[in-house]
Amino acid sequence: FVCFGNVEKDGALAAVVAGSSEGQFDGKDAEAERAARHRFGAAVEALREVADADAHASRARRQLRRCILTADHLTEQMLGTFAQILDAGQDISRERFVLDIRVRERGGEGEGEGESGGGEAEYAFGEFWQRVTSAELGVFETRNEVMYLPVSDTDGADSAETLARLRALGAILAYCVLEQRRVTLAAGSVFWRIVLHGTSAIVHLSCASLLDLLDDYDKVYADGLRQMLHTDADALMLDTVDERGVPQPLSNASRVQHVRHAALECLVASRQGAWEAVRAGFWSARAVAGALAAHLEGDELAVFCRVAPVRAQREAAAAAALERERQERAAEQAA
């Protein structure tokens, strides 16, 4: 179902799967490396079971959806297609959709000739993950133009349109995993943790761990918070709020809690509605999401999603084999 062959270029994944000395698992902790490889293998087997269950399902349950996209509105149209699927209350991992994707150039009159799984689908999903973080779309935001998080509630995530797009985004993520399509989303580590395990995977972390996660999104802010930990509270002249909601002068004893709260506000609380929407879409494919959550840590999902899919190559090889067989039969008949 998910093939880990021919992934030498991805050092982190190669380290997990093959024990390479490159990437995040460098062999210094052999036990952790073996455990990570085991988790990846278990996730693959679980997803194979999902795929096998679907393969044996009645073909009457499989729906062909014609999805005609225009090149300049591809992202919005892709989100709209999956929003319709979610509105119908259907589980992507149980009632599979075969998307017949055609892409037209702006102003073009004809449709493309590709079908789901072919070149046009690969192009469409590749372009989607590149464009979905654009500021114009309004579903992600960034402070460094490198790592993105779902837009905060104060910046529009509480609008019905934005929430619908975020739910659709989560469903597309699950669909890409199920269909072995590469996900090139430039999201920070915190994104993958919350998608799999919810905000509870973040809120109980230590102050230092939260600041490390914040580095991916806004290193300047994270460094500023770190500096507060080493500055006398009297010099900061700040107020904080206690557990009863009563303002109190910031003290040296409460600095850590204040910094921790500020990091959580940026990563979680300020975008709570957005996180819930993305997870609702991702977990609409319950079998896929459950299989991954049961075996992978949040950060490992990011590596998992970067696996280069082999579906297009496999289908091209199968098409070539069928063409050779056709030519051989034609030659035999001619003889």
Side-chain angles (χ1 to χ4, degrees):
F1 176 69
V2 177
C3 178
F4 290 112
N6 195 27
V7 292
E8 291 83 354
K9 294 182 180 179
D10 189 334
L13 183 61
V16 172
V17 178
S20 167
S21 60
E22 301 177 357
Q24 66 188 74
F25 298 95
D26 58 6
K28 294 180 181 178
D29 189 342
E31 183 176 351
E33 185 178 317
R34 285 194 298 270
R37 290 202 305 272
H38 174 75
R39 288 195 295 271
F40 266 75
V44 171
E45 290 303 317
L47 286 171
R48 279 178 179 152
E49 292 179 6
V50 175
D52 290 344
D54 174 71
H56 291 90
S58 168
R59 289 194 175 273
R61 289 171 53 197
R62 296 177 64 86
Q63 301 183 30
L64 178 66
R65 273 182 171 266
R66 175 65 60 85
C67 187
I68 300 176
L69 310 173
T70 54
D72 51 340
H73 296 292
L74 181 150
T75 306
E76 297 92 327
Q77 292 169 347
M78 185 83 79
L79 288 169
T81 296
F82 277 83
Q84 292 174 4
I85 292 171
L86 292 177
D87 289 343
Q90 293 163 310
D91 182 346
I92 294 172
S93 57
R94 290 303 182 191
E95 298 186 50
R96 291 280 299 284
F97 300 91
V98 180
L99 287 182
D100 179 8
I101 293 181
R102 313 290 177 92
V103 181
R104 297 185 300 193
E105 294 298 328
R106 185 195 312 195
E109 297 180 358
E111 297 177 10
E113 297 299 326
E115 295 183 352
S116 177
E120 290 194 56
E122 293 294 330
Y123 166 80
F125 281 105
E127 287 294 300
F128 174 82
W129 291 116
Q130 290 297 318
R131 300 183 193 181
V132 75
T133 55
S134 68
E136 293 77 13
L137 194 62
V139 295
F140 279 97
E141 61 185 18
T142 182
R143 304 285 176 81
N144 56 17
E145 304 300 328
V146 177
M147 290 296 178
Y148 294 79
L149 289 179
V151 65
S152 64
D153 296 345
T154 56
D155 290 332
D158 57 349
S159 72
E161 180 183 13
T162 302
L163 290 175
R165 285 180 169 180
L166 288 166
R167 283 192 294 270
L169 176 114
I172 293 173
L173 175 58
Y175 183 83
C176 285
V177 172
L178 191 62
E179 292 292 308
Q180 303 179 48
R181 302 206 177 279
R182 180 193 291 268
V183 176
T184 56
L185 178 64
S189 171
V190 65
F191 176 85
W192 303 103
R193 293 190 184 198
I194 292 179
V195 165
L196 269 190
H197 302 295
T199 56
S200 60
I202 303 298
V203 296
H204 299 300
L205 293 177
S206 67
C207 182
S209 296
L210 287 170
L211 292 178
D212 288 342
L213 290 178
L214 186 57
D215 276 335
D216 285 346
Y217 177 64
D218 190 341
K219 183 167 177 56
V220 173
Y221 185 43
D223 287 343
L225 292 177
R226 287 191 183 95
Q227 186 63 35
M228 289 181 63
L229 295 175
H230 304 287
T231 303
D232 187 83
D234 292 337
L236 292 172
M237 295 185 293
L238 294 175
D239 287 338
T240 187
V241 178
D242 63 19
E243 61 275 7
R244 298 169 297 173
V246 178
Q248 299 286 344
L250 184 67
S251 66
N252 289 330
S254 61
R255 277 181 309 180
V256 173
Q257 185 61 28
H258 177 81
V259 169
R260 190 173 181 279
H261 175 80
L264 282 173
E265 178 68 23
C266 180
L267 294 173
V268 178
S270 65
R271 57 193 88 244
Q272 186 69 41
W275 285 127
E276 291 174 357
V278 174
R279 294 196 78 238
F282 184 74
W283 281 85
S284 68
R286 289 181 290 276
V288 174
L292 293 173
H295 299 288
L296 295 182
E297 300 294 335
D299 295 353
E300 292 172 330
L301 177 61
V303 181
F304 194 90
C305 288
R306 289 198 300 268
V307 176
V310 296
R311 176 174 180 167
Q313 295 92 319
R314 186 174 63 244
E315 291 180 347
L322 287 174
E323 178 61 21
R324 287 195 300 271
E325 183 179 345
R326 186 191 65 78
Q327 292 177 355
E328 290 172 358
R329 285 200 303 267
E332 290 175 358
Q333 290 173 359

